[in-house]
Amino acid sequence: MLHDFINGLRASFRTPSIKTIAWCFAICLVFAGLFALVVYGFVARRVDGSAISESLRNGIDIDWTIDTLGSDGFGASFRMLATLAVALVPAYLVVSVFLSGGIVSSVRRALGYDDDTTRVSFFTLCAWYLGPMARVAILEVVVLLAVTVGVAIGARSGGPTTRENVLAWVWLFGSAYALTLVASLFDYARIEVVAAGRRSAFSALGSACRLAGRKPLGVAVLALLNMALSLGVWVGFVWLHSNVNLTTAGGVAAGVLVGQIGIIGRFWTRVVAYASETSLHARGAVVPARVEVQADPVEMAEGIA
Amino acid sequence: MPRTALCLVLLLAMVCLASADVADPRPLAEIAPASTYVTPPLPPGQLSDRVVSYSIKATLDPAADQKTVTGTERLTWRNPSDVPVSELQFHLYLNAFRDDKSSFMKESGGQLRGDEFEEGGYGNIEVTSMKTAAGEDLLPQLEFIHPDDDNANDRTVARVPLATPVAPGATIELAIDFKDKMPKIFARTGYHDNYFLVGQWYPKIGVFEPRGMRGRAEPGWNCHQFHANSEFYADFGTFDVEITAPADFVVGATGELVDTSPAANGMSTRHFKQDDVHDFAWVADDKMLDGHRTYSEQGFQTVEIRALVQPEHAATMDRQLDIAEKSIRWFNENIGPYPYKTLTVVDPEEGAMGSGGMEYPTFITGGFFSTSPGTAPGPRDPMLETVIFHEYGHQYWYGMVGSNEFEEAWMDEGINTYTETLGMAQVWPDHDRLYFAFGGRNICEIPLPSLDSGRYNRVGALPGTTRRGPMINASWKFKGDYGYGENAYRRPGIALMTLEGYLGRETMQRVMRTYFDRWKFRHPTSQDFFDVASEVSGQDLTGFFDQYFRADRVLDYAIQSVKPVGEDKLTTEFIIQRNGDAVLPVHAVVTREDGSTAEFNWDGAAAQQLFTVDSASPIVRVVIDPENKVWLDANITNNSWVRNTARSGSARIATQIGLLFEHILVVLSGAV
């Protein structure tokens, strides 16, 4: 599994992976940037020209927050912001589902598995796998919600019995790992969709579970390594960001830059995860004869062209 | 400007405030006039006019199918008025939990202070016998009354007509038998497993207010029903209480433990006594740990502190004793001496937090509110200090200064919130933390911005321009838990902080000390507090109290414009505008580019005021209330004008929120 992890790391630095990360980042930036611009207008309208604007350089001012919450028109403004956020999140999730087929395909290319799709554009591949990927995503949301509820109930009732906070951390880590493991099963399901051309979410998940059954240690350790990498990148980002002096215009710009590096880092760890899982999948899969699909992506792309 | 000069200007401004003409067609809330009743001279060693004397023998039956307290009460009551009294009125508080038809349960909907009434957990008090010393049976005449809301199903107040009225100054002695079925812990009292917090548990006589007491024109009973949002009011007196409970139970109570003696069937009788208090509560538990410490300081009463702590919180025993000791010290030094010899701090058990955070004379309950069930408190669980300090504060504002919590709740909770704000900031200056728990454990603490803890009260009393009604109102008339909390605790808390801002801390401290000294062991009204404040500060503060306590005026001053005038631009005019209908003197500071400053004061009465300032060096900043003394200000953002404001503040907030949003998107998308 270490071999797969290293394979994944290497693949993440190859062109198809880098292009994928760039697309994902750009799309995410559009969504978040739109929201940030609206928030900026909201804040600036209220504070520009006042000393509060200066104090906000030091972060959220509690008095300003209280006043803003109580100010006339805040309700309407807040509803507008909340509506925008509520609209943007599902829209982005739909886009993410759309992207997942392209991400897995690109990662396979980076690993040298899917040479026959090299002429197909990233977005064409995204579109090609949208149906099955959407089905896998819906199934994943349902399963993850169920697992999350189980973890929450366990945390309340069957948590550690001693009073040491360190055990709470262990418990927290265990819960996070359980969720990661379940999520990684769905990664294998997505890989199945692309590698084996499966169109059914249940069939893809079943195949992923069988893979986990054949290589339990590999799946478990790889999930752990990917979680550690993701956590490490996140901790590094938090550390870096907390060391940026945000009280000046230059500092705010640096904060934005570091923040975006952190976001890119998050996408990179996701690509590493997919790539390492794809590597493991390639070694462990009982690859069925490739299911005949209605149209080959290459042909489809040519058709589109 | 030198501090003394500034203070003088502010004092002058306060005088202007008193005469400010504030046009508001709505009438001020009616409040009780100042007290004119003169307490009779007290014998040496006696702290209060002891109107009542209770001698109670109570037996706890903790059996699972019982959970009862059976008691006999010998009550001696003196008629303090100048008229004969032909009926007695009693509080039977436990009947609030008799069924879901009581006023308390209807108003609360079975939920109070975040605590939920447990299904089937009803409790009640039944008076089984009531006789005079002459043997006259009063029970047949006992009837339930409901003076506040006409709820015929409410049985929390009873009246008993007397065949022979009690003459002015005479006493009546009653022998009362009663039986409590304790409710499952809810709203301060009840049981949870073998933990019993026994409060509001005995037939308690109401207050017969003589002419002039609390501004009363005619003598009469003041005995309100038990409401979801109301606490208590009672006369001072003596309590002699013998509690018989299983010998292996730890028992703590109001007052001094004077004797412990064995009783039949493995029981033990603990005998407690306390003079000059107006209530008595106790706790019994089969597993509490019993910690002790002596507070001793020259010039003050030595106090035996007792902390009754749950075994799972054993590690916090010293901390709880420390908090109690520091609380006693702070109030002794800043408000007035604590005269009692004991203080008992109770740590409620898990599942019994409905009894946490409550005050009784010499007996308070704390508890860990901010941790999850099953949680070991973090070493700096932020609520513990706050809760114990707050409840100890009630030894002053409720315990000794016996205001009427039914009718003027701000006088105990609001004043206590104010002293809590001051005390917490001084005793635990780095106290504020946010805690995160997982799996029943605190795993992370985050320090909050360094603000006086009380400043967060502004959150609960969102300034804004929404009118919230006068703070002085019958407590059960406030809208729900929030309305009560806002008007009894937070708004008066920040109003008193605002008053302190203008009077100065030293003057305000004299106000508080004088108020305590003058009204301890008596029953003041709001007006009595207002009068003390005006007298001590040397100003008529009627305008201040009228606007914020008797009305719900909105305070908001804003910099309306700042512009250089004249061809040479050597002068700048700025306008301060009054947006709200409240008036308060305004202090503004202008800063020039060369660093020099100019100060301006205005009585704040007009709709707006034009100021002119020399601006040979250009004006870069104009700020109203630069020291943030006016906690009542509805909008602090419009208090300032800054030339060439850097937009990095807005940008920082927007980019941080945007980044957070971006992370949320990425994390969520990881799941699809």
Side-chain angles (χ1 to χ4, degrees), chain A residues 46 48-49 51 53-54 57 62-64 67 70 72 96 140 155 160 162-163 165 168-169 171 190 237 260 266, chain B residues 374 438-439 441-443 451 455 458 464-465 621 636-637 640 642 645-648 650 652 662 667 669 671-672:
Chain A
R46 280 164 173 75
D48 276 359
S53 181
E54 294 182 334
R57 286 180 190 171
I62 188 76
D63 275 323
W64 173 72
D67 291 345
D72 294 330
S96 298
E140 182 177 13
T162 66
R163 306 288 166 184
N165 280 353
W169 281 108
W171 184 255
R190 289 189 192 89
F237 156 70
Q260 298 317 305
R266 303 273 305 181
Chain B
F438 181 86
R441 303 291 172 272
N442 287 330
I443 55 172
L451 286 167
R455 204 147 179 97
R458 294 188 75 233
T465 52
R621 172 187 288 256
I636 287 176
T637 306
S640 55
V642 177
T645 323
R647 300 206 161 164
S648 55
S650 309
R652 170 176 176 165
E662 209 172 356
V667 168
S669 68
V672 293

Side-chain angles (χ1 to χ4, degrees), chain A residues 157-213:
Chain A
S157 56
T161 52
T162 66
R163 306 288 166 184
E164 296 301 322
N165 280 353
V166 66
L167 284 183
W169 281 108
V170 171
W171 184 255
L172 181 63
F173 172 81
S175 303
Y177 180 60
L179 286 168
T180 303
L181 211 51
V182 173
S184 80
L185 274 182
F186 282 91
D187 285 351
Y188 290 113
R190 289 189 192 89
I191 293 165
E192 277 287 326
V193 166
V194 175
R198 296 187 194 279
R199 310 290 291 178
S200 156
F202 287 104
S203 161
L205 183 62
S207 187
C209 289
R210 284 192 292 280
L211 171 73

Side-chain angles (χ1 to χ4, degrees), chain B residues 419-451:
Chain B
T419 49
E420 173 201 318
T421 301
L422 294 185
M424 290 299 297
Q426 290 172 22
V427 184
W428 294 279
D430 60 345
H431 177 69
D432 298 306
R433 294 282 188 282
L434 272 183
Y435 280 73
F436 294 96
F438 181 86
R441 303 291 172 272
N442 287 330
I443 55 172
C444 182
E445 70 175 58
I446 295 178
L448 293 173
S450 57
L451 286 167

Side-chain angles (χ1 to χ4, degrees), chain B residues 275-466:
Chain B
D275 296 337
D276 302 309
V277 292
H278 52 65
D279 202 358
F280 187 99
W282 52 285
V283 66
D285 189 359
D286 61 354
K287 50 189 182 310
M288 281 188 305
L289 306 175
D290 197 350
H292 293 259
R293 182 177 296 182
T294 301
Y295 164 84
S296 177
E297 202 149 323
Q298 193 157 14
F300 295 105
Q301 172 69 51
T302 298
V303 183
E304 291 301 324
I305 305 169
R306 189 179 183 200
L308 302 175
V309 172
Q310 297 300 321
E312 62 266 32
H313 300 159
T316 68
M317 174 67 84
D318 277 347
R319 185 172 154 212
Q320 305 221 24
L321 290 165
D322 276 347
I323 300 169
E325 189 178 354
K326 286 175 178 169
S327 303
I328 294 172
R329 181 170 295 117
W330 189 87
F331 274 89
N332 273 349
E333 290 171 355
N334 290 279
I335 303 297
Y338 179 74
Y340 305 113
K341 294 178 180 169
T342 64
L343 174 69
T344 299
V345 180
V346 177
D347 173 33
E349 80 167 23
E350 235 171 64
M353 277 313 295
S355 67
M358 184 54 197
E359 69 280 6
Y360 296 98
T362 78
F363 179 96
I364 60 178
T365 64
F368 295 93
F369 286 84
S370 60
T371 50
S372 308
T375 301
R380 295 175 52 79
D381 182 312
M383 285 300 285
L384 189 62
E385 278 78 6
T386 306
V387 173
I388 294 179
F389 191 81
H390 179 93
E391 305 312 337
Y392 178 75
H394 279 303
Q395 296 304 310
Y396 289 72
W397 322 120
Y398 147 87
M400 288 183 269
V401 178
S403 51
N404 185 328
E405 296 184 293
F406 289 98
E407 297 178 1
E408 296 169 294
W410 82 270
M411 294 188 70
D412 58 294
E413 297 297 358
I415 291 177
N416 199 31
T417 298
Y418 166 67
T419 49
E420 173 201 318
T421 301
L422 294 185
M424 290 299 297
Q426 290 172 22
V427 184
W428 294 279
D430 60 345
H431 177 69
D432 298 306
R433 294 282 188 282
L434 272 183
Y435 280 73
F436 294 96
F438 181 86
R441 303 291 172 272
N442 287 330
I443 55 172
C444 182
E445 70 175 58
I446 295 178
L448 293 173
S450 57
L451 286 167
D452 290 356
S453 61
R455 204 147 179 97
Y456 293 103
N457 283 319
R458 294 188 75 233
V459 178
L462 291 176
T465 52
T466 307

Side-chain angles (χ1 to χ4, degrees), chain B residues 86-90 92 127-132 135-145 157-164 172 174:
Chain B
S86 58
E87 72 169 37
L88 303 178
Q89 292 190 4
F90 290 88
L92 299 171
V127 178
T128 53
S129 170
M130 184 182 282
K131 291 179 180 169
T132 64
E136 182 191 353
D137 188 359
L138 299 176
L139 194 59
Q141 284 81 48
L142 183 145
E143 65 169 330
F144 297 105
I145 57 174
V157 175
R159 69 184 281 274
V160 182
L162 298 171
T164 310
I172 183 171
L174 301 177

